[in-house]
């Protein structure tokens, strides 16, 4: 069975400060993990994905995430927040079995203060 | 440009009416998915299709129906049996169907916002 938990429903940071969005997962198999971003009334855009290669994954717009198997975490970070980063972020887990499902976290809303 | 298109962007429905949401992809993807998103919530899977002429119920299929007659098209019908249809609907596709095993990145359309009047 698989599950994903986004630990914060809302995160607020000042522009220019670091961003940390937390995600923990549970998977019986070696998982694939994704982060998506959604701006208001838009579809989801892929930020980055982990598929058992390098544990530190670099994505678009300066975001990166580190897969930590011992902590079952896949937190999303960015060194310096920009106003355009304000959006909803989703952590997604999927197993490598044809029977496994794609599971979405409940989302974290990121707000950026000027 | 390859991608997924959904239409219409906004849709209004009277109670008791069936409506159909369009989803088309030109990515040559085998698998397609429909999700529902409610305010402040994540995505919930309605239906998915791994291959033409085949589809499976997701977690919240009641009150919805789909068809997959062509690889590039996966329309979703919201029927009058769906008690609370007002939501944002997202269509997605992946390159490999689940039957083939393995995972692949989901690509999403821009969404359709359905409002019941």
């Amino acid at each position: 069975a698989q599950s994903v938990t986004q630990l914060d429903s809302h995160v607020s940071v000042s522009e220019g400060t670091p961003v940390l969005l937390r995600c923990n997962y549970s998977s019986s198999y070696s998982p694939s993990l994704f982060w998506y971003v959604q701006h208001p009334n838009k579809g989801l855009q892929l930020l980055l994905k982990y598929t058992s290669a390098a544990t530190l994954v670099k994505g678009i717009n300066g975001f990166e995430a580190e897969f930590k198997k011992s902590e079952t975490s896949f937190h999303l970070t960015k060194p310096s927040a920009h106003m355009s980063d304000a959006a909803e972020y989703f952590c997604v887990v999927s197993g490598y079995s044809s029977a496994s499902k794609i599971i979405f976290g409940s989302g974290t809303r990121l707000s950026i203060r000027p | 440009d390859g991608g997924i298109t959904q239409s219409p962007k906004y849709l209004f429905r009277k109670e008791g009416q069936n409506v159909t949401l369009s989803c088309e992809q030109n990515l040559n993807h085998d698998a397609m998915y429909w999700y529902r998103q409610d305010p402040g919530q994540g995505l919930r899977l309605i239906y998915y299709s791994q291959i033409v002429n085949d589809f499976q119920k997701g977690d919240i299929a009641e009150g919805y129906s789909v068809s997959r007659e062509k690889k590039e098209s996966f329309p979703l019908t919201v029927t009058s049996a769906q008690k609370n249809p007002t939501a944002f609907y997202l269509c997605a596709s992946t390159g490999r169907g689940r039957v083939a095993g393995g995972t692949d990145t989901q690509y999403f359309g821009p969404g359709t916002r359905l409002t019941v009047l």
Side-chain angles (χ1 to χ4, degrees), chain A residues 32 34 36 38 41-44 46 49 90 94-98 100-102 104-106, chain B residues 33 35 37 40-43 59 88 90 98-99 101-106 108-110 113:
Chain A
S32 290
F34 307 79
Y36 284 87
Q38 183 182 32
N41 292 311
K42 302 288 187 184
L44 275 66
L46 180 70
K49 66 178 180 180
F90 292 95
S94 179
Y96 211 76
S97 159
S98 60
S100 59
K101 296 169 69 172
I102 300 171
F104 284 78
S106 56
Chain B
Y33 308 77
Y35 293 93
Q37 185 178 29
Q41 297 189 32
L43 278 64
D59 300 318
F88 191 52
L90 287 161
R98 305 301 290 162
V99 172
T103 61
D104 206 341
T105 304
Q106 282 193 313
F108 284 83
R113 183 163 298 282

Side-chain angles (χ1 to χ4, degrees), chain B residues 15-32:
Chain B
E15 284 192 26
Q17 283 183 335
N18 293 356
V19 289
T20 297
L21 283 59
S22 168
C23 178
E24 304 278 331
Q25 53 98 0
N26 60 4
L27 300 167
N28 200 31
H29 283 174
D30 289 317
M32 297 185 74

Side-chain angles (χ1 to χ4, degrees), chain A residues 13-96:
Chain A
V13 302
S14 297
E15 189 175 20
T17 64
V19 174
L20 170 64
L21 305 184
R22 298 183 294 166
C23 173
N24 284 6
Y25 70 91
S26 172
S27 178
S28 303
Y29 305 94
S30 179
S32 290
L33 293 157
F34 307 79
W35 275 100
Y36 284 87
V37 60
Q38 183 182 32
H39 288 91
N41 292 311
K42 302 288 187 184
L44 275 66
Q45 180 185 16
L46 180 70
L47 278 177
L48 49 82
K49 66 178 180 180
Y50 166 78
T51 54
S52 73
T55 57
L56 182 62
V57 182
K58 294 189 183 298
I60 62 171
N61 299 338
F63 284 94
E64 62 182 37
E66 186 172 7
F67 174 72
K68 292 187 176 180
K69 186 174 181 179
S70 60
E71 299 176 10
T72 62
S73 68
F74 190 58
H75 301 334
L76 181 71
T77 60
K78 182 174 180 178
S80 177
H82 191 272
M83 294 300 291
S84 61
D85 294 328
E88 189 90 15
Y89 291 80
F90 292 95
C91 182
V92 180
V93 63
S94 179
Y96 211 76

Side-chain angles (χ1 to χ4, degrees), chain B residues 43-90:
Chain B
L43 278 64
R44 293 185 289 169
L45 182 65
I46 304 172
Y47 268 98
Y48 65 101
S49 168
Q50 299 181 41
I51 199 167
V52 175
N53 292 323
D54 178 74
F55 49 83
Q56 306 293 330
K57 292 182 179 180
D59 300 318
I60 55 165
E62 185 176 351
Y64 299 97
S65 66
V66 293
S67 64
R68 186 85 187 277
E69 297 176 1
K70 298 185 297 182
K71 187 176 185 177
E72 58 270 21
S73 178
F74 190 42
L76 173 74
T77 296
V78 184
T79 75
S80 56
Q82 169 50 237
K83 299 304 179 188
N84 185 22
T86 295
F88 191 52
Y89 291 87
L90 287 161

